[in-house]
Amino acid sequence: MSSKSPLYRKVAGDLRTAIAAGEYGSGARLPAEDELARRYGVSRGTVRQALAALRADGLVTSRRGARRVVLGGAARLQSFAELRSFSRWARSLGEEPGGRTVAVDPARATEEEAHHLQVAEGARVFRVRRVRTLSGAPVMVERTTYPERIGELVAALPVDAVSHSEQLELHGVLFTDAHHTIDVLPADPDDAELLGCPPGRALLRERRRSTDPAGTPVEWSEDRYLPGTVAFTVHNSTATSALGRRLGED
Amino acid sequence: MSSKSPLYRKVAGDLRTAIAAGEYGSGARLPAEDELARRYGVSRGTVRQALAALRADGLVTSRRGARRVVLGGAARLQSFAELRSFSRWARSLGEEPGGRTVAVDPARATEEEAHHLQVAEGARVFRVRRVRTLSGAPVMVERTTYPERIGELVAALPVDAVSHSEQLELHGVLFTDAHHTIDVLPADPDDAELLGCPPGRALLRERRRSTDPAGTPVEWSEDRYLPGTVAFTVHNSTATSALGRRLGED
DNA sequence: AGCTCCAAGTTGTACGGACAACTGTTGTAC
DNA sequence: GTACAACAGTTGTCCGTACAACTTGGAGCT
């Protein structure tokens, strides 16, 4: 096993599995930071770093003066990677993800695309449309716009490649931050045909802008899901915020 | 002004306003941690704590070896309070929130309610149904179940109280963590009448379970929004995760 | 029993130092 | 010029200490 993973991650992982295994049931109090530090042979700061991760995931509460308490409810997941990649998410649930590329078009960036990808209006981009399936049944239409450099890599992939993002990672393209907007909109005729539903049917829409570690946009995507197939979940707290609500349109 | 706010918050706030004011435009590099520490007269650890908050809000990237970069895109907000309270959110956007309580019913907890509120099945709870408006127009139906202790406080509020949560805070009821699930469902006849839309119309649904600092559930709510009135936004990154995707139903 | 008050336990904030890992730039060699 | 190597700059990880702020439970009193 590689020892390249930092200490606090190991501690966090340990605590996660301990909680998942029921060692600390819902409502139970975790050991004190000092106790954990002794037990793992690390400093209190390192333990706090681990616990901060659990807190951000909504696994435990924490407040001054009292021990941490395990929050009941949904078992959390390694949410980022699974949110970003449809394939990874599906596999982690034991579902069989599939994908069929419908179109790959070189194009000139519209104003909206230029804005989100931070390129000049009219710059070369690639538009990719795909149908995503779970166990063979179509559940989502994905329309992604890539900047030129990345789009060229995507265009070279086989039509039936299951996971584009995993392929891109192999080529050194990293996704580290993403901003999502979730709302509802009616299926247009294209959506309807690809998903096999009547046009006008309400779909759950997720728009996503992903950036790499340097802050450079690497994709701008609009995913439309058939209702009933997925739900989005978020945890937030006064300590770690992330989610917002917005008026329609932008 | 109270000096009770911790140092790192002041630093974070300062940086937030500096970014909002355009001092560091989209893509600009922030000063190094050491530089900021000198500038504010605090230790590097304190600066890092402030920057971690900005990172969690999706304002800046960060990676080893390079300076932090300001992420372009949506100006972030203090999201937790605004997500938890419809009234606060609306006011922060300059809209006029309204609310009309349709029903307050003492009841016995169903299995689902008992589960989410962590009380015994059949325990006393209060079900509250309200219509929420923006500038007079109805946009959302809210069905909240409270445990007995809190429900009694809510039942005592006037029917036209705008913000229940702010009233509850005055009574010492604190909300610090919330878990949200977002999906789509068709309006039932009640929704349709309250919102003034045809039955069957697709609504954006947000289910929410909120807990207090001790981890005790304080509300279980299901909010149904007219399409086009709101969108939910999330930022996540490899460092700070929060959002997930789920299969339909639960 | 119920109440107040105190002490121990626990987390939050802040400081300091040290080294590891990585990036971007500069300069050198070919 | 181009490729490689060295270097300074920067963030990530980890340690240790100290004190402040808060919660909890128990002792003692009424």
Side-chain angles (χ1 to χ4, degrees), chain B residues 35-247:
Chain B
E35 166 64 20
L36 289 173
R38 241 193 330 276
R39 201 177 292 182
Y40 287 102
V42 301
S43 79
R44 190 184 157 218
T46 301
V47 169
R48 282 181 65 77
Q49 222 171 332
L51 290 170
L54 299 201
R55 165 114 218 234
D57 284 357
L59 273 172
V60 299
T61 61
S62 73
R63 54 187 179 137
R64 184 173 252 165
R67 292 255 270 266
R68 265 167 249 261
V69 171
V70 177
L71 278 176
R76 295 257 53 59
L77 6 153
Q78 303 289 11
S79 37
F80 180 78
E82 286 165 0
L83 179 69
R84 250 227 58 260
S85 164
F86 180 87
S87 307
R88 253 192 281 262
W89 164 71
R91 278 199 288 265
S92 78
L93 293 180
E95 291 272 340
E96 183 55 30
R100 182 167 55 88
T101 302
V102 177
V104 179
D105 298 317
R108 300 290 180 167
T110 66
E111 183 183 346
E112 188 190 25
E113 289 167 338
H115 173 250
H116 287 291
L117 294 179
Q118 285 182 10
V119 296
E121 197 172 333
R124 295 174 165 282
V125 297
F126 280 82
R127 297 204 190 106
V128 176
R129 185 150 13 148
R130 298 174 77 199
V131 178
R132 303 301 228 117
T133 60
L134 284 181
S135 308
V139 299
M140 188 257 279
V141 174
E142 180 181 273
R143 300 165 197 233
T144 310
T145 306
Y146 296 99
E148 187 172 20
R149 184 178 63 89
I150 296 165
E152 281 166 354
L153 296 174
V154 174
L157 296 177
V159 230
D160 58 344
V162 175
S163 174
H164 282 184
S165 51
E166 286 171 5
Q167 290 299 317
L168 286 175
E169 276 176 24
L170 296 181
H171 285 82
V173 179
L174 295 179
F175 300 69
T176 56
D177 284 75
H179 188 82
H180 313 258
T181 305
I182 299 165
D183 61 0
V184 181
L185 97 171
D188 68 25
D190 282 350
D191 299 329
E193 185 182 336
L194 292 170
L195 293 173
C197 72
R201 169 69 148 289
L203 304 177
L204 187 59
R205 170 169 73 165
E206 177 216 350
R207 283 172 294 176
R208 175 179 68 245
R209 177 178 176 271
S210 306
T211 61
D212 70 8
T216 309
V218 288
E219 69 166 358
W220 162 243
S221 188
E222 173 161 342
D223 297 354
R224 303 180 180 184
Y225 292 87
L226 273 178
T229 56
V230 307
F232 292 94
T233 68
V234 187
H235 180 92
N236 66 356
S237 79
T238 48
T240 307
S241 56
L243 176 56
R245 188 161 26 190
R246 285 180 43 174
L247 278 176

Side-chain angles (χ1 to χ4, degrees), chain A residues 140-181:
Chain A
M140 188 257 279
V141 174
E142 180 182 272
R143 299 162 198 237
T144 310
T145 307
Y146 296 100
E148 185 170 22
R149 184 177 63 88
I150 295 164
E152 281 167 354
L153 296 174
V154 174
L157 295 178
V159 232
D160 59 344
V162 174
S163 175
H164 283 185
S165 52
E166 285 170 5
Q167 291 299 316
L168 286 174
E169 275 176 24
L170 296 180
H171 285 81
V173 178
L174 295 179
F175 300 69
T176 57
D177 283 74
H179 189 82
H180 313 258
T181 305

Side-chain angles (χ1 to χ4, degrees), chain A residues 33-60:
Chain A
E33 296 174 357
D34 279 333
E35 166 63 19
L36 289 173
R38 241 194 329 274
R39 200 178 291 183
Y40 287 103
V42 302
S43 80
R44 190 183 155 216
T46 301
V47 169
R48 282 181 66 77
Q49 223 171 332
L51 289 170
L54 300 202
R55 165 115 217 231
D57 284 357
L59 272 173
V60 300

